[in-house]
Amino acid sequence: MVQLRTSLLIVGVLCIMLLTTSCDFLIDNSWIDDFGYTDDQIHQLTFNWPGKRSVPEVPVRIGENTHKLLFDTGCGVGIFLTDVLDNQIDYTLLGQSEALNRDGSHRGWNRELLIEEIEVFNERYKNVRTTMSDWNMFSSEEFNGAIGLAYFQLKVITLDYQGKRIAISDNPIDYTKLDLEKYIVLPLYRSTSMNQEHLPFFVVDYDGAPVVVYMDTGKNYSYVWNPESKLSIGEKPDRYFDIPIKIGNMEITLQDIVEVSNIAQAEGLPYPTVFEMNSDQIWKNNLLVTFDLIEHKIIFRKL
């Protein structure tokens, strides 16, 4: 009986090792060399909850302690905190300000704060002005806050949701060595609207015409603009649509898209903003997404 139990235990351990090895084998690492990342530039990427409605988090040191903030490309103000951290960080209260939705409508009220120092992937920032808001203004689940692309300028960032990794580098991409059969490279457009200068906008083909797409990794639903819709962003969806688009020469289907009437039309862009393509679509289309904030490009690859 003891020998049988020992044999079963050995078989179980071998099965677990085989399964782990198989899963590692299935993870695509080729993009690491393609973009020239080194091992110390690859970091674990966590998510706020399981499944394809989850959004990414990154560690940010605030004062003496490290907290996970959403990695939110839609965070136009750079960084904001929620009252979940109210008794966990030191700050100087500066006053109060109005919180607005991206279309300019009223969302609520913020506390204006000054924080002595934060650190993001070994980059330190002193005397950071930010806000603290009621987490209920943004989510149905508690979260600590969010940090956006303003804190990653002049960097290259790759998001690998499937492999749960984020890569960050100061080195330019060598586009002469990048296989354009594998990767779709598009220009990033900058809006001239206030607090939207660092948001990622790019152009895709929709029904034979060029339209602008805005990518917000801090949201887990994606939207298509229909001025006649009676639904607004933030309201509970009642219908979903599957919509094919072309990103360069790559055809994908945006799955379970919600029609809304209030996608903000930022200034300085070449075409109307028709889509918000958010974290749910990165999951559903198995996309590797790279933000080249040195050359102002966005790069896609299907994994």
Side-chain angles (χ1 to χ4, degrees):
M1 181 63 73
V2 173
Q3 288 182 336
L4 177 60
R5 288 177 178 174
T6 302
S7 299
L8 290 173
L9 179 61
I10 292 172
V11 170
V13 170
L14 289 173
C15 288
I16 292 171
M17 291 175 63
L18 181 61
L19 181 60
T20 302
T21 303
S22 299
C23 289
D24 289 341
F25 181 76
L26 291 174
I27 294 175
D28 191 327
N29 294 315
S30 62
W31 59 269
I32 297 174
D33 290 331
D34 292 342
F35 290 119
Y37 290 117
T38 56
D39 289 345
D40 62 315
Q41 295 169 335
I42 311 297
H43 310 274
Q44 182 185 15
L45 188 65
T46 58
F47 293 85
N48 63 337
W49 57 64
K52 294 185 177 181
R53 293 286 183 197
S54 59
V55 300
E57 305 169 316
V58 293
V60 177
R61 182 177 62 79
I62 305 172
E64 298 298 322
N65 299 311
T66 298
H67 305 274
K68 288 183 179 179
L69 302 187
L70 302 184
F71 180 79
D72 180 3
T73 60
C75 182
V77 296
I79 186 172
F80 75 88
L81 308 176
T82 76
D83 54 359
V84 174
L85 295 180
D86 196 7
N87 297 316
Q88 300 182 46
I89 62 171
D90 293 324
Y91 60 84
T92 301
L93 180 63
L94 301 176
Q96 180 177 271
S97 63
E98 184 180 17
L100 301 175
N101 294 302
R102 195 172 150 259
D103 63 1
S105 59
H106 175 79
R107 175 176 267 177
W109 295 97
N110 301 319
R111 279 177 277 173
E112 296 280 342
L113 313 180
L114 181 67
I115 295 174
E116 184 176 339
E117 181 180 276
I118 70 169
E119 183 176 334
V120 187
F121 293 111
N122 300 318
E123 296 279 350
R124 294 183 180 183
Y125 302 88
K126 299 280 190 179
N127 298 319
V128 175
R129 290 191 63 143
T130 185
T131 61
M132 180 174 285
S133 310
D134 184 337
W135 64 267
N136 286 285
M137 289 201 312
F138 304 94
S139 174
S140 59
E141 300 286 339
E142 286 190 2
F143 71 108
N144 293 329
I147 188 165
L149 294 179
Y151 283 87
F152 295 84
Q153 292 302 294
L154 297 179
K155 295 185 184 297
V156 176
I157 310 106
T158 296
L159 296 175
D160 175 12
Y161 281 20
Q162 304 299 324
K164 295 181 171 58
R165 293 172 293 185
I166 182 172
I168 302 168
S169 173
D170 295 318
N171 301 320
I173 296 170
D174 186 348
Y175 284 97
T176 64
K177 296 180 179 179
L178 197 65
D179 185 353
L180 299 183
E181 295 294 320
K182 289 167 55 177
Y183 295 96
I184 306 298
V185 182
L186 301 177
L188 277 174
Y189 291 90
R190 288 189 175 217
S191 168
T192 56
S193 297
M194 186 175 66
N195 289 335
Q196 300 194 40
E197 305 94 330
H198 299 301
L199 303 185
F201 298 94
F202 55 97
V203 173
V204 303
D205 184 286
Y206 169 48
D207 202 20
V211 300
V212 168
V213 174
Y214 160 59
M215 178 170 281
D216 184 348
T217 57
K219 288 183 181 176
N220 57 10
Y221 281 85
S222 293
Y223 303 94
V224 58
W225 181 44
N226 178 358
E228 298 181 359
S229 172
K230 296 181 180 179
L231 194 70
S232 297
I233 293 175
E235 295 181 330
K236 186 176 181 180
D238 55 0
R239 293 181 64 194
Y240 300 91
F241 301 86
D242 291 346
I243 299 178
I245 63 170
K246 285 185 69 177
I247 301 176
N249 60 10
M250 178 176 67
E251 296 183 359
I252 69 168
T253 297
L254 301 179
Q255 302 171 40
D256 298 325
I257 289 282
V258 181
E259 273 193 357
V260 292
S261 62
N262 66 330
I263 290 182
Q265 298 301 307
E267 297 177 357
L269 302 176
Y271 306 104
T273 302
V274 173
F275 292 101
E276 274 199 15
M277 178 180 167
N278 301 328
S279 273
D280 57 315
Q281 300 305 318
I282 297 175
W283 281 114
K284 291 176 181 180
N285 285 282
N286 296 324
L287 294 175
L288 183 83
V289 182
T290 299
F291 300 94
D292 179 354
L293 302 183
I294 300 173
E295 298 291 336
H296 304 293
K297 300 179 187 299
I298 188 168
I299 307 167
F300 293 93
R301 178 185 163 190
K302 259 188 166 298
L303 294 175

